[in-house]
Amino acid sequence: MKIESIELYRVSMPLIYPFRTAYGDGHVIESVLVKISSQGLEGWGESTPWESPLYSSEWAVGAFALVRDWLGPQILGQEIESGDVLQEQLSMFKGNPMAKASLDLAWWDLQAKIQGEPLWRVLGGQNKIVDIGADFGVMENLSSLIEKIQEAVNSGFKRVKLKFRRGWDVEMVRTVREFFPNLVFHVDCNSSYRLDDLDLFLSLDEFGLAMIEQPLAHDDLLDHAELQRQIATPICLDESIYSVDRARQAIEIGACRWFNLKPARIGGITPTLKVLAEAKKGNIPCWIGGMLESAVGANHCIALATLSNMKYPADIFPSRRFYEKDLSFPEVEISGKAQVKPQSGPGIGCTPERSQLEKHLMESHKL
Ligand SMILES: [Mg+2]
């Protein structure tokens, strides 16, 4: 396809309530949405690096500027026949996988539309029904958390993920395990600990957690490998896996036993498919994570979650969990027992709603 035009939108989407993690308390989600056009069709991509560089070194204002000034002009007017060609074009610019992902995701949506097929089918998806998990941030007190977990269990969620930070740590896990002896659950540390905290992680082994997500630094592999050698609970890497090479190296040195895959963090669908192939070779099961994207970003995640080697319920949230009204349409809804289905229309089957886009717009640009 020839990339005929590129439109960029940076939006700020207010959350119904703050999302509390080891990074602090988030009140809005900043997202970069990209529309690329070719052959009278449009494809949408969404990358959510957030308002400030807390999750990774990227942030929404920076990602928007990079796509506007460098990445977009690099592919505008070019014939881009595959995701590999797109990535090759962008590869002269170092790093910035989240900015690159916005274009890659839009390219895949458009490619699937040109083929007249839903994206999940173009990717070779096999499980049309995707299990999703329940996630809970840091709460006011433990009794509120127990209540929320009970609701999730009653609604059929097959696993629970709990944010974990200093002051909301081992005692929280102990309490949850006492109330729910058979619950499949894990904790996400969002890179806030160091190898000096080994004793804390050893003390978690007795609770039978499904995994400990990203315990150590956001860009570390070596210390994670050392920690994994010393603790019995599987480590899942999230922040640290931001490229295909990082995934390969993590497997090689035994830095983890799970990957949480977020297409935006890895640079889009093209590199995520390669990470999945590496993971399969290295016997590392995967699951899909989320960055509280609007339904556009969520639908890319849902399409990837239909692929094989996705072995744990995904972090895909119904729109109304965090937003009064989703920026994109149709909204993400749970069907059946804690499950979502990909849209049946071509591509991701979802676009931003014009009035919502204007309401939450911070800046836009057309190339
Ligand atoms: Mg995580």
Side-chain angles (χ1 to χ4, degrees), residues 126-367:
Q126 293 171 1
N127 324 299
K128 199 181 165 186
I129 306 245
V130 171
D131 283 326
I132 59 169
D135 290 32
F136 299 107
V138 176
M139 292 195 182
E140 293 304 318
N141 52 56
L142 286 170
S143 54
S144 310
L145 177 66
I146 298 299
E147 209 173 287
K148 285 286 172 197
I149 296 175
Q150 188 62 59
E151 280 172 27
V153 170
N154 296 346
S155 306
F157 285 92
K158 295 183 188 71
R159 66 90 174 147
V160 164
K161 161 171 161 172
L162 304 173
K163 292 294 185 185
F164 187 94
R165 71 180 183 191
R166 295 192 197 274
W168 187 258
D169 44 40
V170 181
E171 279 320 296
M172 179 272 291
V173 170
R174 186 187 306 281
T175 307
V176 172
R177 184 47 90 209
E178 274 168 15
F179 271 86
F180 303 97
N182 302 314
L183 179 71
V184 176
F185 79 106
H186 83 272
V187 294
D188 184 3
C189 308
N190 286 117
S191 70
S192 61
Y193 293 86
R194 296 297 174 264
L195 211 42
D196 291 349
D197 298 300
L198 173 63
D199 287 347
L200 177 137
F201 291 110
L202 280 168
S203 75
L204 289 177
D205 273 344
E206 67 172 290
F207 302 112
L209 296 174
M211 62 190 82
I212 299 172
E213 193 177 331
Q214 195 71 35
L216 309 182
H218 72 99
D219 54 355
D220 170 77
L221 292 181
L222 275 180
D223 285 355
H224 279 102
E226 179 56 28
L227 182 63
Q228 186 66 93
R229 274 192 287 277
Q230 303 220 32
I231 64 173
T233 311
I235 290 176
C236 170
L237 286 181
D238 173 351
E239 283 89 334
S240 287
I241 306 301
Y242 49 77
S243 71
V244 182
D245 282 340
R246 296 285 291 178
R248 182 180 51 74
Q249 290 159 1
I251 295 167
E252 218 167 281
I253 65 170
C256 63
R257 296 189 199 141
W258 284 90
F259 284 162
N260 170 337
L261 299 182
K262 295 173 179 165
R265 187 194 67 229
I266 303 171
I269 284 179
T270 309
T272 301
L273 296 176
K274 291 182 169 34
V275 168
L276 262 174
E278 290 288 340
K280 215 170 201 169
K281 251 191 327 191
N283 290 318
I284 299 286
C286 300
W287 56 286
I288 285 291
M291 296 291 290
L292 310 196
E293 301 91 345
S294 81
V296 161
N299 273 287
H300 280 102
C301 291
I302 293 170
L304 281 166
T306 66
L307 299 178
S308 64
N309 205 30
M310 296 297 181
K311 305 286 191 192
Y312 194 67
D315 270 350
I316 292 162
F317 309 107
S319 301
R320 298 295 169 120
R321 166 84 199 278
F322 290 107
Y323 299 110
E324 213 162 275
K325 185 174 176 8
D326 202 299
L327 184 130
S328 302
F329 186 83
E331 298 199 324
V332 179
E333 285 177 19
I334 296 186
S335 65
K337 286 249 163 196
Q339 291 169 325
V340 286
K341 280 187 193 167
Q343 301 292 335
S344 49
I348 54 170
C350 176
T351 57
E353 211 177 306
R354 183 52 63 179
S355 60
Q356 284 288 95
L357 191 58
E358 280 163 14
K359 188 172 168 189
H360 300 302
L361 190 65
M362 305 300 284
E363 58 181 326
S364 64
H365 188 79
K366 184 168 183 188
L367 289 164

Side-chain angles (χ1 to χ4, degrees), residues 97-108:
M98 289 201 161
K100 289 175 180 171
S102 61
L103 291 167
D104 183 279
L105 292 162
W107 184 90
W108 276 98

